[in-house]
């Protein structure tokens, strides 16, 4: 199929807005005679006048050819080898155009795995044409290319139209594509929330039909995507899409039922997400443990109270509640053990913030878990209009330390 091509005067993408590292990679590939495109989210964001998070390059050079061209290059990936070209403060992910995996091979992976040089099991690279590479991507707006050779935009999937219409549209048949990789459903919610787009009707209906397949997604991939949902700076809108599509339910059943029971619980979640978004806007780094502590905080406190009522000492109850809940999620979203421990630290340290007598506060102030515990305490106290005096006490102590 012939793609739609927008020549340089017909679009707004300027080299000025592309990182110098990405420009270097593109020109190097081009000068060696290869095709070199920016692909995916970078092109989408440039066309929307948004600031791209990063730039991915797609090319017809093979990973080995790329490695020979760049001294600062590492090949990664077991199934499909990608080149990471390292610059100071930036990595340009450079991938060879990729073909879709033929269906019969997808069904019988044992036929195409072989033992690689390092003795690991790896799948042969399945290189493809630019068109195939575009069409294997998830949504039309994520399938655009920027060609460094003539500064044109190349569109094989109708992404330009959908950018204009502000639409998230699946490439190909939604049921097939969501079954193939269920993570795409939460990606749809993320892009709709972040960009302020609508999910196109067929895709939307398909998500409603297929949402339970999310439980089948690879748990490590889910963890990555779940973090992106809440760290994207538009967590509130993304969450609203997760609710609208009911994707929240297969992601975390108990939590989602618990929210549905009481509007106040729902309000808490929305408030913490607004806080996350404010922090992101201010360019503050929030790490995953604080995110999970805040997001699930009310729920964890609820579980804790149940344990305390049943006779568990409060400190143990905090740890037990967090571990039970987050470990339960782990079958679906592989939350790293370390993060679970940090979340339970935040929750159990809430008890230490209640104590203001003697030398304990000073000691706790210098403890490495203090800041996260305090931030949680501050957000939750403000949300509930409680602990005013305690907040003042700790804020003052922090000021004095500075
Ligand atoms: P962001 O700006 O949040 O990074 P992005 O569009 O760059 O958004 P990535 O997760 O970085 O998203 O993926 C880069 C590109 O790879 C996407 O734009 C899309 O073309 C393709 N892609 C990523 N994940 C999938 C998937 N699950 N199925 C198909 N294509 C995908
Ligand atoms: Mg990206």
């Amino acid at each position: 199929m012939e793609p739609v091509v927008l020549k340089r005067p017909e679009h707004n993408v300027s080299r000025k807005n592309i990182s110098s590292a990405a420009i270097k990679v593109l020109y190097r590939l081009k000068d060696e005679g290869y095709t070199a495109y920016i692909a995916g989210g970078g092109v989408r964001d440039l066309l929307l006048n948004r600031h791209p998070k990063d730039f991915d390059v797609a090319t017809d050079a093979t990973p080995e050819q790329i490695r020979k061209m760049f001294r600062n290059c590492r090949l990664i990936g077991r199934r499909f080898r990608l080149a990471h070209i390292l610059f100071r403060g930036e990595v340009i992910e450079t991938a060879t155009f990729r073909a879709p995996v033929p269906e019969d091979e997808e069904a019988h992976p044992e036929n195409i795995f072989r033992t690689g040089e390092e003795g690991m099991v790896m799948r042969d690279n399945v290189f493809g044409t630019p068109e195939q590479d575009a069409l294997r991507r998830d949504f039309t707006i994520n399938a655009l290319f920027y060609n460094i050779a003539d500064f044109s935009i190349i569109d094989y999937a109708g992404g330009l139209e959908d950018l204009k219409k502000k639409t998230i549209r699946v490439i190909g048949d939604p049921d097939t594509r969501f079954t193939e990789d269920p993570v795409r459903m939460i990606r749809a919610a993320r892009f709709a929330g972040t960009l302020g787009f609508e999910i196109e009707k067929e895709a939307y209906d398909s998500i409603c039909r297929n949402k339970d397949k999310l439980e089948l997604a690879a748990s490590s991939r889910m963890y990555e995507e779940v973090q992106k949902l809440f760290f994207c700076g538009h967590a509130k809108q993304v969450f609203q899409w997760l609710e609208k599509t009911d994707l929240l339910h297969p992601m975390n059943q108990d939590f989602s039922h618990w929210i549905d029971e009481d509007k106040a619980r729902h309000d808490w979640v929305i408030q913490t997400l607004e806080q996350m978004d404010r922090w992101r806007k201010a360019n503050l780094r929030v790490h995953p443990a604080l995110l999970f502590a805040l997001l699930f905080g009310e729920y964890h406190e609820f579980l804790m109270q149940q344990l305390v009522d049943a006779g568990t000492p409060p400190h143990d109850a905090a740890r037990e509640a967090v571990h039970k809940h987050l470990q339960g999620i782990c079958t679906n979203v592989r939350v790293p053990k370390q993060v679970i421990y940090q979340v339970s630290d935040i929750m159990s340290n809430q008890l230490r913030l209640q104590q203001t007598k003697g030398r304990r506060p000073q000691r706790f102030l210098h403890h490495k878990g203090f800041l996260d515990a305090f931030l949680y305490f501050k957000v939750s106290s403000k949300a509930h209009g409680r602990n005013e005096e305690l907040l003042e006490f700790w804020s003052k102590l922090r000021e004095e330390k500075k």
Side-chain angles (χ1 to χ4, degrees), residues 378-395:
K378 195 166 158 181
V379 174
S380 82
S381 301
K382 291 211 159 146
H384 294 296
R386 67 187 180 199
N387 296 328
E388 220 172 286
E389 280 173 24
L390 275 173
L391 255 183
E392 210 171 299
F393 170 86
W394 287 103
S395 304

Side-chain angles (χ1 to χ4, degrees), residues 42-79:
V43 188
R44 173 197 71 217
D45 289 346
L46 287 171
L47 284 162
L48 291 171
N49 285 315
R50 298 168 67 91
H51 191 69
K53 218 169 54 203
D54 42 35
F55 295 97
D56 297 332
V57 169
T59 177
D60 57 354
T62 64
E64 275 306 319
Q65 287 167 331
I66 300 168
R67 193 173 60 84
K68 290 198 180 113
M69 240 178 284
F70 296 94
R71 259 188 309 134
N72 47 338
C73 175
R74 303 267 173 286
L75 294 190
I76 59 146
R78 285 206 284 179
R79 295 178 62 188

Side-chain angles (χ1 to χ4, degrees), residues 79 101-116 120-124:
R79 295 178 62 188
V101 179
E103 244 172 68
D104 53 333
E105 291 188 357
E106 191 88 88
H108 300 283
E110 67 278 8
N111 295 342
I112 50 164
F113 281 99
R114 66 181 173 88
T115 306
M120 12 182 229
V121 175
M122 68 179 214
R123 171 185 239 152
D124 289 334

